[in-house]
Amino acid sequence: MTKLSEGAIEALSNGTGGNDAVLQLVNIRKIEGGNGPARFRVMMSDGRHTLSSFMLSTQLNYMAEENRLAPNCICILKRHVTNILKDGRRVVIILEIDVIKPAEDVAGRMGDPTPYTEGQNKAPQSAPTHESRPPLQPQNRNEVPVNRGFTKDFGKKAPSAMPSTPGGGSKVVPIASLNPYQSKWTIRARVTNKSSIRTWSNSRGDGKLFSMEIVDESGEIRVTGFNQEVDKFFSLIEVGKVYYVSKGSLKIANKQYTSVKNDYEMTLNGESTVIPCEDSCDVPVMQCDFVSIADLENRDKDAIVDVIGVCKGVDEVTRLTTKSNREVSKRTLSLMDMSGKVVTVTLWGEEAEKFDGSGQPIVAIKGAKLSDFGGRSLSASFSSTLMINPDIPEAYKLRGWYDKEGHAMEGQSVTEMKGGSSGGNTNWKTLSDVKTEHLGHGDKADYYTCIATIVYLRKENCLYQACPSQDCNKKVIDQQNGMYRCEKCDKEFPNFKYRLILSANIADYGDNQWVTCFQESAEAILGQNAAYLGQLKDSNEAAFDEVFQQANFNTFVFRSRVKLETYNDESRIKATVMDVKPVDHKDYSKRLIMNIRKLAAAQ
């Protein structure tokens, strides 16, 4: 029979209780929180006394909602913190609790407990002297517990001390215990992510802000500083270091702008302090809730997820111009995990610029945004945290699996499984597969990748004179007066730019196919840019022809789009090359070996 920890209620009420007390849940009541999350008030019994001043931390609400915490169940209180309210009453916040015996396995209330009132077991005293106490008292205190009626099992182990703040201020409390109703507290946490300084300007004036994410052993929280706090704290704070933070303002978190798993967020103000902490080895580096890449297909669009995988491939940095005429860097990479699935991840800005995918590193991303573009893909925004070869168990497990067997797997991409609205690079096909599988005959275009050789290039009409405007590639009309007119822009220009539309016949061992190659892919095949080819065509026809002769019988990796199109009542498959790359013979050989093994296993 499970034995309750008699005396635990008295110790907890006095603020001297330790952890691992065995208690019986007598009653649980939901308290609506207005705009915030609901809270659950709990009455507990140690067999001798009952106390109704227990509150479930919001991170544990699911245990009440799933009816795991029900009247009469037997629990072990793993971690807690004691708050002292303004009127002197104590509230025990439950941070971690395990149900060791569910309610249905317990006959009823154990013992004959009576409600505990503070001081009922003390000798009569003269008028009480109010002692000055800090507003928040953690469960681990330096003083020796006053063991009034404790069982030996519960009272024999003295708890270790929580670290104190510099200068001997209030005790350090866990992040999970923070709420807007406290004013004096200090947390000790590690910075896991820090944004750049962002500015704004509107009718109400100008301003600036930065945000960071911090974590301790109990949880995590997002912290934001504005204007003066940016000047005060931004240069002080470094990612990966540990700080004492106190006197911030807490409010309900706006989940639209953060992936941090906390119902509250913190704002630094004029009274806030941030002090570096030297003794930081026991503070966790990061809290991640990794999702399997295979499970991304079951998640909602725009969900914020944590993922970890091996970087199977990485593209070069490209630069895009936004609608606000700002240039931003972009890079895509492919991640694979032990599910054998591959997902495309897009990095932006500085992360895209400095990312090094050499050696197929383990990449962990906290707070990536899930998109349904081309099946499932991920984007690492400014609020995401990117870690290369992190020192966490999941990374070591993944590396061991990949080096042993994962490197031989091709991987199945979730980014192009859902009908192919994106051009992934792992949907390998032969040209005969494209025809026999009727790719392109559906409602949407299909994308595939193949290795093929250039058999013939049609150089007639491969160049045209295009509008010189940056965002316009329309063909211009020679006005025969030294000017060239663009109908789309409704302007005349004294010059033009050459653009390529190249028809090519490509072949592999089983079949051939006509494809259309536009500017970038055509230049990659010919090895020359369009402007130079235009000059050759006008000045040296023999040299122009030689460029096309040299390009024949070269082999490339083609990423193509196929779609059935109808013109003049005639339907035919149109194949457009989206990307051309040289053959990576090491990767190609691995894939051939894997295919041979598959064929051998099927015999």
Side-chain angles (χ1 to χ4, degrees), residues 105-403:
D105 295 343
V106 182
R109 186 176 300 189
M110 298 175 65
D112 188 19
T114 58
Y116 179 79
T117 54
E118 188 170 357
Q120 70 180 48
N121 287 353
K122 297 178 184 177
Q125 294 180 346
S126 57
T129 303
H130 294 286
E131 74 176 300
S132 175
R133 299 179 186 270
L136 185 62
Q137 185 65 53
Q139 70 270 29
N140 295 326
R141 297 168 51 119
N142 281 322
E143 65 236 39
V144 178
V146 180
N147 189 356
R148 299 187 184 91
F150 253 26
T151 60
K152 290 183 179 179
D153 290 339
F154 184 67
K156 66 183 180 182
K157 186 171 68 174
S160 60
M162 288 283 280
S164 296
T165 56
S170 61
K171 298 283 187 178
V172 172
V173 303
I175 286 175
S177 72
L178 295 179
N179 64 70
Y181 312 108
Q182 301 166 231
S183 58
K184 294 181 180 179
W185 46 260
T186 299
I187 56 174
R188 187 177 68 129
R190 189 182 302 275
V191 177
T192 58
N193 189 22
K194 174 188 171 186
S195 75
S196 57
I197 297 175
R198 299 193 291 281
T199 59
W200 76 85
S201 178
N202 55 35
S203 58
R204 291 182 291 178
D206 301 335
K208 56 186 175 181
L209 66 88
F210 83 100
S211 62
M212 61 179 175
E213 293 166 14
I214 58 178
V215 64
D216 69 5
E217 68 281 356
S218 73
E220 57 185 344
I221 194 168
R222 185 175 189 243
V223 184
T224 304
F226 294 89
N227 299 324
Q228 292 180 346
E229 281 63 55
V230 175
D231 300 332
K232 185 176 179 181
F233 297 120
F234 183 81
S235 59
L236 168 70
I237 292 164
E238 296 181 37
V239 174
K241 292 197 173 180
V242 176
Y243 299 85
Y244 293 102
V245 183
S246 63
K247 295 185 180 178
S249 305
L250 287 135
K251 64 176 183 178
I252 301 298
N254 188 339
K255 297 295 185 180
Q256 182 180 352
Y257 300 110
T258 178
S259 61
V260 174
K261 295 174 178 64
N262 197 316
D263 293 319
Y264 301 110
E265 59 187 13
M266 186 190 305
T267 302
L268 299 174
N269 55 51
E271 296 184 353
S272 301
T273 61
V274 179
I275 302 173
C277 171
E278 301 302 327
D279 182 17
S280 61
C281 59
D282 59 331
V283 180
V285 176
M286 180 74 69
Q287 281 201 344
C288 292
D289 184 15
F290 291 120
V291 173
S292 166
I293 292 175
D295 192 41
L296 294 178
E297 295 178 274
N298 303 320
R299 299 294 175 118
D300 294 333
K301 176 181 178 292
D302 295 331
I304 303 298
V305 296
D306 304 339
V307 294
I308 186 168
V310 181
C311 181
K312 287 270 290 181
V314 58
D315 292 340
E316 294 297 322
V317 173
T318 58
R319 287 173 176 80
L320 305 176
T321 303
T322 64
K323 291 180 180 179
S324 59
N325 217 25
R326 185 172 60 90
E327 192 176 78
V328 62
S329 300
K330 171 187 173 184
R331 188 197 295 268
T332 58
L333 51 103
S334 299
L335 292 186
M336 183 172 80
D337 66 7
M338 293 171 66
S339 68
K341 298 295 180 73
V342 178
V343 67
T344 297
V345 180
T346 303
L347 307 181
W348 301 93
E350 186 180 349
E351 293 288 6
E353 293 278 0
K354 67 183 183 182
F355 181 80
D356 182 7
S358 59
Q360 295 185 310
I362 303 296
V363 177
I365 304 174
K366 180 177 175 61
K369 187 174 184 179
L370 181 62
S371 168
D372 61 356
F373 179 73
R376 283 290 184 265
S377 58
L378 294 170
S379 178
S381 65
F382 68 88
S383 61
S384 304
T385 302
L386 183 74
M387 296 169 282
I388 311 298
N389 293 323
D391 186 15
I392 56 177
E394 293 91 342
Y396 292 114
K397 185 178 180 182
L398 190 57
R399 172 55 67 192
W401 167 81
Y402 187 77
D403 291 344

Side-chain angles (χ1 to χ4, degrees), residues 82-98:
T82 304
N83 285 1
I84 302 178
L85 305 182
K86 290 181 179 179
D87 60 6
R89 289 182 298 126
R90 294 179 186 268
V91 177
V92 181
I93 308 295
I94 301 171
L95 302 178
E96 184 179 349
I97 190 168
D98 290 341

Side-chain angles (χ1 to χ4, degrees), residues 94 137 461 485 500:
I94 301 171
Q137 185 65 53
N461 301 319
R485 176 171 177 77
L500 278 163

Side-chain angles (χ1 to χ4, degrees), residues 432-442 444 446 562 564 573:
S432 59
D433 290 338
V434 175
K435 293 181 180 178
T436 57
E437 295 179 18
H438 301 292
L439 295 188
H441 286 257
K444 294 183 179 180
D446 285 311
V562 284
L564 187 67
I573 285 287

